[in-house]
Amino acid sequence: MIYSYPDPTAPIRQGDIFINLPRVDLSLASVLVLKEGEDQLVEMPWEDIALAGQPVSATIALRPVAAIVANQDCDTLHGRDVTLCEIRPFRDVERSAKDTTAPNKWVSRITQQARINQKWFYLPPDTQIGFTEKMGVDFMVTIRVARTDLENLRTFRRARLNDVADEHFRERISEFFRRYPYDEWYSLNKDELEHYKKEHPEAEPFPWQNFPQS
């Protein structure tokens, strides 16, 4: 497919796919902190910890996830840290694909929607990597790992994007971080807005769209 499988000793590059990297799950409303001088954990809001201005020891939840290197190659070779984006099942990343089954619908999702939705990058299944279903890179979820630590975990690298896919990935992630955020429904008229809200009920009308009731 769109993958290559580098030698374990090869330098880390943009588009490298790793498995079993740690993602932190942390609630700022309730952090389990080890009480100083005692073998006891207490729950504290992060706000209180931050205002105290002192380092603390805390218990956090970690879980292993798949992720892809987002940094450019020069950063993966010389930078202190490497940033990766989490990879999850595509149906989870792109919720509108939850019930998609027909091949023609998948073609639309993978091609047309990929041009419209800049928040993800599609990855096809590959059993050698461990992807048993369609996967997606979620640009909204990033993981930072020390470069030297990631180099020591190169046995967790399962693949990298081939040249065609890597060029596409580079452009997609660039588009995501430089995109202009706007509410796409701002210019719709009454009939168009009503139709739009059937698929996007969260869309709040702008003041000039509070059309008089007919």
Side-chain angles (χ1 to χ4, degrees):
M1 290 296 293
I2 66 169
Y3 308 108
S4 62
Y5 309 96
D7 185 274
T9 61
I12 295 171
R13 292 185 53 189
Q14 185 181 58
D16 281 1
I17 296 170
F18 284 78
I19 62 167
N20 295 331
L21 293 184
R23 173 176 169 177
V24 177
D25 288 323
L26 176 65
S27 169
L28 299 184
S30 179
V31 182
L32 279 175
V33 176
L34 183 63
K35 207 169 182 180
E36 189 174 357
E38 301 179 25
D39 189 16
Q40 180 182 358
L41 290 171
V42 295
E43 290 188 10
M44 296 180 62
W46 173 251
E47 183 179 9
D48 291 351
I49 298 171
L51 291 175
Q54 297 297 323
V56 297
S57 297
T59 298
I60 58 174
L62 296 172
R63 57 187 173 91
V65 299
I68 187 170
V69 174
N71 292 82
Q72 296 184 24
D73 292 351
C74 57
D75 295 327
T76 63
L77 290 174
H78 307 294
R80 186 188 68 177
D81 300 308
V82 176
T83 298
L84 304 97
C85 295
E86 185 179 355
I87 299 170
R88 301 197 306 279
F90 187 76
R91 297 178 191 274
D92 180 31
V93 176
E94 178 50 73
R95 297 298 180 89
S96 64
K98 180 181 177 182
D99 299 319
T100 302
T101 56
N104 64 316
K105 296 294 185 182
W106 276 120
V107 169
S108 173
R109 295 287 179 198
I110 295 169
T111 58
Q112 296 176 28
Q113 288 298 317
R115 293 194 294 270
I116 298 169
N117 193 330
Q118 298 176 342
K119 296 180 180 179
W120 50 259
F121 183 84
Y122 171 72
L123 296 173
D126 186 290
T127 55
Q128 187 167 339
I129 303 173
F131 293 167
T132 58
E133 60 181 302
K134 292 175 170 59
M135 306 294 283
V137 178
D138 189 345
F139 293 145
M140 299 285 288
V141 183
T142 58
I143 299 168
R144 188 183 71 178
V145 180
R147 176 178 56 81
T148 53
D149 286 346
L150 195 62
E151 288 174 343
N152 291 333
L153 288 177
R154 277 179 286 184
T155 54
F156 285 7
R157 178 175 55 187
R158 288 292 181 266
R160 73 168 38 136
L161 299 178
N162 66 19
D163 290 342
V164 172
D166 185 49
E167 288 186 18
H168 185 205
F169 177 72
R170 184 182 303 119
E171 288 303 311
R172 289 280 291 173
I173 200 168
S174 298
E175 289 168 1
F176 171 73
F177 283 107
R178 67 172 177 247
R179 75 194 193 283
Y180 173 71
Y182 73 100
D183 296 321
E184 62 184 4
W185 63 88
Y186 77 91
S187 61
L188 301 181
N189 63 30
K190 181 180 179 180
D191 293 337
E192 292 165 344
L193 183 60
E194 288 179 356
H195 179 76
Y196 183 88
K197 285 178 70 68
K198 291 178 181 178
E199 294 187 6
H200 307 276
E202 74 283 356
E204 293 292 335
F206 285 83
W208 55 86
Q209 292 177 314
N210 289 316
F211 305 103
Q213 297 295 318
S214 57

